Amino acid sequence: MRKLLILTAAAIGLTGAAQAADITGAGATFPFPIYSKWAEAYKKETNIGLNYQSIGSGGGIRQIKAKTVAFGATDAPLKGEDLTKDGLIQFPTVMGGVVPAINIAGIEAGKLKLTGPIVAEIYMGTIKKWNDPKITAINTGVTLPDANINPVYRSDGSGTTFVFTDYLSKVSPEWKSKVGANTSVQWAVGIGGKGNEGVSASVKQVANSIGYVEYAYAKQNKLNFALIQNADGNYPAPDDKSFQAAAANANWNEAPGFGISLNNQKGAQAWPITAATFLLVHAKPEKPEEVQAALKFVDWAYKNGDQLALDLDYVPLPANVKDQVRNAWKGVTDPAGKPIF
């Protein structure tokens, strides 16, 4: 799958040998589809490419700390003390949703209903079959097989895993106490896949499977998905409107580096597993011109990339949040202490 990703990226100038002016970044697979679209449009307009390695949030954090890229990308926001310790500035770029992709013969997208606690039990191995009474009880009229459930999880350090396990920790006390929320956890059952790409491929290949992926991957790979009961007791469809509903009441200033959780938000139409994805840059970069180029790219995406995001069912940031982010960029300075943007 890794080879396929490189070939796909190379076709749009995202990877391979970088030109002198190309922007370098690495990390989260969650936003890779929209970063690809933005990069393609930006290169046509400016002739500046983006060399982005879609390697997972853990890899992005490691690379930005090692100063091998202009920016790191993560779906699991770093805490304030970690940002301070490593001299990093963190900010969101776009929002999206995580969905439970499924491969059950005869079950189309949106026809199966699940709750957060049921999903937690599936991944803890206590619900083992698709026709378990807890699942059939909320799926009247749906014929579910007497088949073992095959959970699929991320094998790499992953912000998508953090978003998913953070959600399960909010809705299942047992999950919170036994497994918790992190970019990598100890899975009780299942098979691993690398990246959103790997999980999508495994779900597609393995019968009676379930895996958590960013919605754009489910959509692009034509994966079926289950609906999840939200905090208001409803089962909304995952799309840009339900992701926006989850973010509607967000207070972006309640955590350093805009690192808020949008999981399990109140709202009749709110999709329960919704998250922002973030970039990390050094506050005092050794190569300020490279970080300046990265910030110019993000600024362009803020101004010109909203429709491209919506086309992939991501949710653009509100205008006031974009302005708050631009204000935060004043903290990125050259060796003389002058803001680079």
Side-chain angles (χ1 to χ4, degrees):
M1 196 62 199
R2 180 67 181 144
K3 281 187 178 179
L4 178 61
L5 179 60
I6 291 175
L7 288 172
T8 303
I12 54 176
L14 278 170
T15 189
Q19 300 171 12
D22 280 359
I23 302 158
T24 58
T29 66
F30 178 105
F32 178 71
I34 184 56
Y35 289 175
S36 300
K37 286 292 186 184
W38 283 346
E40 184 179 14
Y42 191 66
K43 187 172 180 66
K44 285 180 181 177
E45 191 170 310
T46 65
N47 204 33
I48 297 173
L50 173 64
N51 178 1
Y52 182 74
Q53 302 170 55
S54 177
I55 57 173
S57 296
I61 292 169
R62 287 192 295 274
Q63 289 218 24
I64 190 63
K65 286 182 177 180
K67 302 179 180 179
T68 58
V69 290
F71 70 82
T74 178
D75 305 321
L78 297 186
K79 295 180 179 178
E81 57 266 31
D82 294 321
L83 294 171
T84 300
K85 175 171 66 75
D86 292 304
L88 296 170
I89 300 286
Q90 173 178 272
F91 54 89
T93 52
V94 71
M95 298 174 285
V98 174
V99 300
I102 57 171
N103 180 357
I104 310 170
I107 307 294
E108 297 175 357
K111 299 301 183 184
L112 178 69
K113 294 179 180 178
L114 297 172
T115 67
I118 285 174
V119 176
E121 285 198 63
I122 287 172
Y123 274 88
M124 286 189 290
T126 53
I127 290 180
K128 301 177 185 295
K129 288 187 176 283
W130 280 117
N131 65 347
D132 184 280
K134 290 183 179 179
I135 301 177
T136 58
I138 58 172
N139 285 283
T140 304
V142 179
T143 302
L144 290 160
D146 181 19
N148 290 330
I149 301 173
N150 295 308
V152 183
Y153 56 81
R154 286 284 291 273
S155 59
D156 52 329
S158 155
T160 309
T161 294
F162 172 79
V163 172
F164 182 65
T165 57
D166 175 67
Y167 166 70
L168 294 181
S169 295
K170 290 179 186 299
V171 298
S172 169
E174 186 179 8
W175 181 277
K176 185 176 182 179
S177 64
K178 290 184 177 180
V179 185
N182 212 326
T183 54
S184 183
V185 299
Q186 191 67 44
W187 299 101
V189 292
I191 57 175
K194 188 174 182 180
N196 272 284
E197 306 90 357
V199 173
S200 296
S202 293
V203 170
K204 212 166 187 178
Q205 294 163 5
V206 179
N208 299 307
S209 58
I210 180 172
Y212 56 93
V213 297
E214 197 281 317
Y215 179 60
Y217 285 88
K219 187 175 182 180
Q220 289 180 349
N221 289 284
K222 296 181 172 58
L223 295 173
N224 292 328
F225 54 83
L227 303 182
I228 302 182
Q229 187 180 50
N230 68 13
D232 282 26
N234 298 327
Y235 292 88
D239 56 30
D240 59 312
K241 294 180 179 61
S242 60
F243 304 154
Q244 183 65 63
N249 300 313
N251 177 9
W252 292 91
N253 294 314
E254 70 183 26
F258 305 92
I260 62 171
S261 171
L262 301 174
N263 275 326
N264 207 39
Q265 292 286 327
K266 287 283 188 181
Q269 294 304 311
W271 180 253
I273 317 179
T274 301
T277 188
F278 302 86
L279 294 189
L280 297 162
V281 298
H282 284 280
K284 298 182 185 302
E286 292 177 356
K287 298 178 180 178
E289 68 282 356
E290 293 184 0
V291 178
Q292 182 184 58
L295 297 183
K296 285 182 178 179
F297 167 69
V298 177
D299 183 58
W300 176 93
Y302 281 174
K303 292 174 181 173
N304 304 282
D306 286 4
Q307 189 57 52
L308 291 172
L310 291 168
D311 289 345
L312 290 173
D313 289 288
Y314 290 90
V315 176
L317 296 176
N320 66 316
V321 177
K322 293 176 182 177
D323 287 340
Q324 291 175 43
V325 170
R326 291 184 180 102
N327 190 56
W329 291 345
K330 294 177 182 176
V332 184
T333 60
D334 64 15
K338 181 181 177 182
I340 65 173
F341 183 86

